[in-house]
């Protein structure tokens, strides 16, 4: 209780220092109260932009609040642009914790001292963040490894700070006119889940293992192998990766890396994860990406830190492909229809009204060359417009939009002439083809085949059971009627299957023709 009170006092002091209350007071439901508070605190210097003041306050409050700010920066559908842009600058600048604590954590989690587990263990960490820090080591079989160790006492720290955030969110929704629209409680709840997921390092290891398996045969992306014998919920050990951080462009050029190809490869990797796997690395900022300079793998991406991943189902993929294709064809009616058909916009939404809003929001984008159009900004504009029509933006799509912005910024930093549309269009068209083309039909038939294989063999048995029940009654007329009825039912079922099959085939042919001749013109 005393610790919570002290922590609350520190939060209030920093809030007043940076004038964060002034940001909220601008929307208070009671203007007179806002003016009174502003008059009492006249001595403060609030000349700096509000986004900058908010960022600095979070940095002073510590790593959990820094992470909260990072999460908020991804919710551009909720945040004003100036605040979201400033929060995106937040970085984990956390000093490393005592190596003795890391050793104790490893010993407790893996059941042996690092000197017994590894051939060598570097006590000085090579990287430190809010949740964990990393040490290099060597396994006894000679393989080099990276050891990620969870910070001690993180669960208690998170629980205490998140509890205070929930109280603040409640006040915000009560006092601020836009509090409920911004869904402060919901955002804090998402953050709480996100942090507790990150506390389980085994989840991160499993994410990395899945991504590695997805790109096992790829010549574009390298993912470290997880050494499962040395992994637990608070310590994971993986293959050590060597490369140059992707932000160090001068060093990449010196090493002979083709930056234009590297830029295109990054987009290819991203869209492969989206439309092939439906499983994507959602924290691809420059700090988590290296580039290999080994002769055999020169220029390949190296992915690190798999604490945050996103998943997409077929409905999400269909939504994305239809919206992107319709957007670049300026078919705003189709964009509106896609929102309503997906169930994310209320069914009573008028298509023409949503179409007009989307057109007003997106049409100005086409004043620029196609290669300069930002996919991430397209999604953001769609989300912002959709919210006016009570569309619930799906969390996985918000995560994807944030990752897409990262990929775009990184790609154009490497190659200013990068044309994302040219790189992405084949993936979108292939996805559409797989949904309504011949490949889609074959895939669906394969998926349904096990169900039909169970139905057809049962027909003779069901007929026999019906005849047996009738025979037990000793009534030949009933027996004959049952036999005729069963035969008619079987014939009807077979005719229905044939008609449905022919109908589906005809529908597929028509849809395939429609897509090829009307929906997919050259851009």
């Amino acid at each position: 209780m005393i610790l919570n009170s002290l922590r609350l006092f520190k939060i209030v002091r920093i809030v007043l220092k940076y004038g964060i209350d002034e940001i909220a007071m601008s929307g208070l439901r009671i203007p007179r109260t806002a003016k009174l508070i502003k008059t009492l605190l006249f001595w403060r210097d609030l000349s700096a932009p509000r986004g900058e003041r908010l960022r600095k306050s979070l940095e002073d409050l510590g790593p959990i609040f820094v992470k909260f700010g990072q999460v908020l920066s991804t919710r551009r559908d909720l945040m004003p642009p100036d605040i979201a842009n400033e929060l995106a600058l937040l970085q984990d600048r956390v000093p490393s914790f005592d190596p003795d604590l890391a050793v104790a954590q490893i010993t407790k989690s893996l059941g042996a001292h690092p000197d017994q587990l590894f051939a060598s263990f570097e006590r000085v960490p090579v990287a430190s963040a809010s949740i964990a820090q990393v040490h290099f080591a060597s396994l006894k079989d000679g393989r080099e490894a990276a050891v990620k160790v969870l910070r001690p006492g993180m669960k208690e720290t998170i629980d205490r700070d998140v509890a205070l955030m929930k109280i603040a969110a409640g006040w915000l929704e009560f006092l601020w006119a836009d509090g409920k629209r911004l869904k402060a409680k919901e955002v804090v709840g998402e953050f709480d889940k996100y942090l507790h997921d990150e506390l389980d390092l085994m989840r991160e290891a499993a994410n990395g293992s899945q991504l590695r398996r997805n790109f096992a045969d790829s010549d574009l992306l390298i993912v470290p192998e997880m050494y499962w014998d040395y992994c637990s919920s608070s310590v994971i050990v993986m293959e050590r990766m060597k490369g140059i951080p992707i932000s160090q462009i001068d060093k990449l050029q010196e090493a002979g890396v083709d930056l234009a190809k590297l830029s295109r490869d990054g987009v290819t990797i991203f869209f492969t994860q989206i439309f092939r796997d439906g499983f994507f690395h959602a924290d691809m900022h420059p700090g988590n990406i290296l580039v290999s300079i080994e002769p055999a793998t020169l220029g390949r991406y190296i992915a690190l830190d798999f604490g945050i991943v996103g998943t997409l189902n077929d409905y999400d993929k269909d939504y994305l492909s239809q919206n992107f294709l319709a957007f670049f064809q300026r078919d705003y009616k189709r964009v509106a229809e896609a929102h309503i058909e997906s169930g994310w916009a209320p069914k009573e939404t008028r298509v023409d009204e949503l179409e007009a809003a989307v057109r007003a929001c997106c049409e100005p984008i086409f004043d620029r060359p196609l290669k300069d159009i930002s996919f991430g900004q397209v999604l953001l504009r769609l989300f912002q417009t959709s919210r006016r029509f009570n569309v619930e933006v799906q969390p996985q799509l918000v995560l994807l939009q944030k990752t897409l912005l990262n990929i775009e910024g990184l790609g154009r930093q490497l190659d200013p002439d990068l044309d994302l549309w040219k790189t992405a269009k084949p993936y979108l068209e292939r996805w559409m083809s797989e949904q309504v083309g011949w490949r889609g039909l074959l895939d669906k038939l394969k998926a349904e085949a096990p169900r039909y294989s169970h139905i057809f063999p049962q027909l003779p048995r069901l007929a026999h059971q019906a005849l047996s029940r009738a025979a037990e009654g000793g009534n030949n007329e009933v027996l004959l009627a049952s036999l005729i009825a069963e035969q008619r039912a079987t014939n009807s079922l077979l005719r229905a299957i044939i008609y449905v099959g022919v109908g589906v085939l005809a529908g597929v042919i028509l849809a395939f023709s429609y897509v090829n001749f009307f929906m997919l013109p050259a851009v």
Side-chain angles (χ1 to χ4, degrees), residues 428-441:
L428 302 175
E429 292 178 338
R430 186 180 304 124
W431 168 252
M432 294 296 291
S433 173
E434 288 173 351
Q435 293 306 294
V436 298
W438 289 104
R439 284 188 296 178
L441 173 62

Side-chain angles (χ1 to χ4, degrees), residues 42-106:
F42 67 92
W43 47 268
R44 297 177 300 175
D45 179 12
L46 304 181
S47 58
R50 62 178 184 173
E52 179 183 338
R53 287 186 278 123
L54 179 58
R55 173 177 60 81
K56 289 182 177 179
S57 70
L58 294 175
E59 289 173 343
D60 282 2
L61 287 170
I64 302 304
F65 283 83
V66 166
K67 239 177 197 341
F68 183 58
Q70 291 172 337
V71 171
L72 280 180
S73 72
T74 70
R75 296 306 305 266
R76 290 176 176 264
D77 58 314
L78 300 179
M79 295 289 105
D82 61 321
I83 291 180
N85 291 336
E86 194 69 36
L87 294 181
L89 301 177
L90 284 168
Q91 299 293 330
D92 287 335
R93 299 184 181 91
V94 182
S96 59
F97 57 86
D98 190 339
D100 288 337
L101 294 176
V103 169
Q105 183 80 286
I106 294 170

